[in-house]
Amino acid sequence: MGCSKNLVDSEHLMRQFAANGYQVEHDAEVPEGEIVVINTCGFIESAREESINTILQLVEAKKEGRIGKLFVMGCLSERYMEELQAEIPEVDRFYGKFNWKGVMEEIGKAYHTMPADARLLSTPDHYAFVKISEGCDRSCAYCSIPLMTGQHRSRPMEEIIEEVRGLAQRGVKELQLIAQDLTYYGIDLYKSHKLPQLVREICKVEGIEWVRLHYAYPNNFPYELLEVIREEPKVCKYLDIALQHISDPVLSAMRRHVTKAETLALIERIRSEVPGIYLRTTLMVGHPGETPEAYAELLDFVRQVRFERMGAFSYSHEEGTYGYKHYEDEVPADIKQERLDQLMELQQGIAFEVAERLVGTRQQVIIDRAADEYYIGRTQYDSPDVDPEVLVYSDRPLEVGEIYQVEITAADGFDTIGEVL
């Protein structure tokens, strides 16, 4: 459950089960079998509720005899293990976020030492997520992630390249590079920003055709990365950079260590140095200190910058965070929801215009799956699961996982429609 970083963890654990002779299914519609493992999310209240509801549903399946053992791991149990053990005793065992070895020991199986790419991919065969680091050294007031993942830990570059080579040999063409803080990569291991060098090394791996960057941070941004995005043909003209807000008082209360002026300058420089880049960001409404004036400033910011891709969520008063200890959750829930709805309605209109801009252009499109009368794919500007798709019509069969040149003929809301050339 939760983010793509959790997904990578699950894929590694699935490979351990498979190595011990189990048949493994990911996200089964009707969970059945000897063992079910729930990898939980605990980031904000809504994610915790979803995780707990899933646990309770599987507890019922266990009572009905549809499953044998039920294990729970991940961020939620890392953070609230004692409470969960007391409140849901029907679960056979709770584990922390990274205790994969404990899961295997519980069922009397070996924990195998494996190559870096030893995962059972839950994604289509042609793309994969690659986690380049774990944890976060930032101290944002609202964020509980460091409480669950710990401090930032970069993976050695050689290990990542080994994983990428292994994935490429298995037919993976597209990589989504992920981390809690992508742009901090290398500071701990190499004492300097190493993301630009890492991306260049990944681009040298034969078989990899697209590389997409997720979860950058605006403070101390490594500007040499822009040269890599601009010059390397394999790097998608796409950057996911969470900005959260634009009002200086709110940014200060959030402990983001960046100002409005610095944020605007960063965006201008990114778009200037990488013409045509699509920016994805995440924004937050309802943080303590967000006055009506600060919220209006946020709306004006979105109107001005016109992000190609954007998500948003409401502030959640998270126990153990700086904000929980020092602020009151002062913005009422109904006001938070009203602000969130208004913000996303504004972005919807911008996103429709962004889709319209592609009409009449020719785009490289990777095919993700086949539908009844057309194929469904994505451009370099579209990350799986979170971004728009392209409905591709063709008078000849297309292969899933291959990249085709497509003429965009129409826009349909967020998505576009095209024909293979």
Side-chain angles (χ1 to χ4, degrees):
M1 309 189 71
C3 66
S4 53
K5 295 175 284 294
N6 258 16
L7 185 70
V8 171
D9 295 342
S10 295
E11 291 175 343
H12 282 290
L13 182 57
M14 288 160 59
R15 182 67 181 87
Q16 290 289 335
F17 275 104
N20 279 288
Y22 287 94
Q23 179 182 342
V24 188
E25 188 170 354
H26 177 263
D27 276 0
E29 289 188 16
V30 182
E32 295 177 318
E34 182 180 343
I35 300 166
V36 171
V37 181
I38 306 174
N39 191 359
T40 57
C41 179
F43 176 45
I44 56 177
E45 183 177 358
S46 58
R48 290 198 301 274
E49 289 179 358
E50 185 180 8
S51 291
I52 290 171
N53 288 337
T54 301
I55 295 170
L56 295 176
Q57 291 170 9
L58 271 297
V59 164
E60 289 302 310
K62 183 183 176 188
K63 289 178 180 177
E64 295 168 4
R66 290 192 284 116
I67 66 174
K69 291 185 178 295
L70 177 60
F71 299 147
V72 174
M73 62 181 297
C75 292
L76 184 70
S77 55
E78 176 77 29
R79 191 174 174 199
Y80 296 107
M81 187 174 299
E82 291 185 5
E83 294 92 328
L84 290 168
Q85 288 171 337
E87 294 177 12
I88 316 178
E90 297 89 346
V91 172
D92 290 285
R93 190 75 180 267
F94 289 93
Y95 298 92
K97 179 169 173 57
F98 305 109
N99 193 8
W100 310 336
K101 189 173 183 179
V103 176
M104 306 315 297
E105 289 175 346
E106 176 71 17
I107 60 175
K109 300 296 183 181
Y111 183 84
H112 296 270
T113 300
M114 295 184 177
D117 66 308
R119 295 152 53 183
L120 284 189
L121 293 181
S122 58
T123 55
D125 293 340
H126 57 279
Y127 71 80
F129 296 91
V130 175
K131 183 160 54 170
I132 68 170
S133 65
E134 188 64 72
C136 185
D137 284 356
R138 311 289 184 176
S139 56
C140 300
Y142 54 84
C143 188
S144 62
I145 287 175
L147 301 174
M148 298 175 283
T149 63
Q151 291 186 310
H152 181 98
R153 303 177 302 283
S154 299
R155 294 175 59 198
M157 194 176 301
E158 298 78 14
E159 180 183 291
I160 297 171
I161 298 303
E162 178 191 352
E163 177 178 10
V164 169
R165 289 197 185 104
L167 291 170
Q169 290 170 4
R170 292 160 59 181
V172 171
K173 292 184 173 67
E174 176 187 357
L175 300 178
Q176 326 294 332
L177 298 193
I178 57 172
Q180 277 83 15
D181 183 355
L182 202 71
T183 39
Y184 203 79
Y185 176 77
I187 296 294
D188 53 330
L189 272 185
Y190 307 110
K191 310 308 176 188
S192 64
H193 290 288
K194 289 296 183 182
L195 181 62
Q197 181 181 341
L198 173 66
V199 175
R200 287 197 187 276
E201 291 300 316
I202 288 173
C203 289
K204 295 176 183 178
V205 176
E206 187 175 350
I208 299 300
E209 299 188 35
W210 282 4
V211 180
R212 189 176 287 106
L213 307 178
H214 276 281
Y215 317 124
Y217 193 93
N219 177 254
N220 291 324
F221 184 87
Y223 283 107
E224 57 268 34
L225 180 65
L226 301 180
E227 180 180 320
V228 178
I229 299 174
R230 183 179 67 248
E231 294 181 353
E232 289 286 353
K234 291 184 178 182
V235 179
C236 297
K237 303 301 183 285
Y238 178 107
L239 183 64
D240 187 344
I241 181 166
L243 298 175
Q244 307 302 355
H245 217 280
I246 197 59
S247 162
D248 278 329
V250 178
L251 288 170
S252 178
M254 288 179 165
R255 306 178 84 202
R256 293 287 287 173
H257 305 292
V258 70
T259 66
K260 176 179 183 177
E262 290 167 342
T263 301
L264 292 173
L266 172 61
I267 293 169
E268 181 179 0
R269 184 165 176 180
I270 292 172
R271 285 180 165 167
S272 173
E273 292 197 20
V274 190
I277 193 171
Y278 273 43
L279 291 179
R280 162 170 276 282
T281 196
T282 305
L283 301 175
M284 181 193 298
V285 299
H287 191 278
E290 186 187 63
T291 62
E293 293 76 17
Y295 173 65
E297 192 175 356
L298 182 64
L299 289 177
D300 288 341
F301 171 62
V302 173
R303 291 190 191 99
Q304 173 189 347
V305 174
R306 309 189 76 76
F307 292 101
E308 287 80 11
R309 309 283 184 248
M310 193 196 87
F313 63 104
S314 299
Y315 171 75
S316 180
H317 206 46
E318 292 299 307
E319 184 180 1
T321 62
Y322 181 93
Y324 189 88
K325 297 173 185 175
H326 294 86
Y327 305 141
E328 293 293 326
D329 189 8
E330 59 189 16
V331 181
D334 60 334
I335 299 299
K336 289 180 187 176
Q337 189 61 50
E338 181 181 319
R339 291 178 181 178
L340 181 62
D341 293 343
Q342 184 181 13
L343 180 64
M344 292 311 298
E345 183 178 357
L346 169 62
Q347 178 59 27
Q348 177 176 300
I350 295 170
F352 286 179
E353 292 179 13
V354 170
E356 289 281 357
R357 287 206 312 252
L358 288 178
V359 176
T361 67
R362 295 181 176 186
Q363 301 292 331
Q364 297 292 307
V365 174
I366 193 165
I367 301 300
D368 283 339
R369 61 193 185 277
D372 290 338
E373 298 178 357
Y374 51 84
Y375 295 86
I376 298 173
R378 291 171 292 106
T379 70
Q380 65 169 316
Y381 311 119
D382 306 310
S383 192
D385 301 326
V386 295
D387 288 332
E389 296 176 315
V390 186
L391 282 58
V392 180
Y393 288 86
S394 175
D395 56 7
R396 58 189 169 93
L398 305 182
E399 289 190 33
V400 170
E402 291 298 320
I403 297 174
Y404 296 88
Q405 186 157 350
V406 173
E407 182 171 357
I408 306 299
T409 57
D412 182 14
F414 296 102
D415 298 329
T416 53
I417 299 170
E419 297 179 359
V420 169
L421 295 173

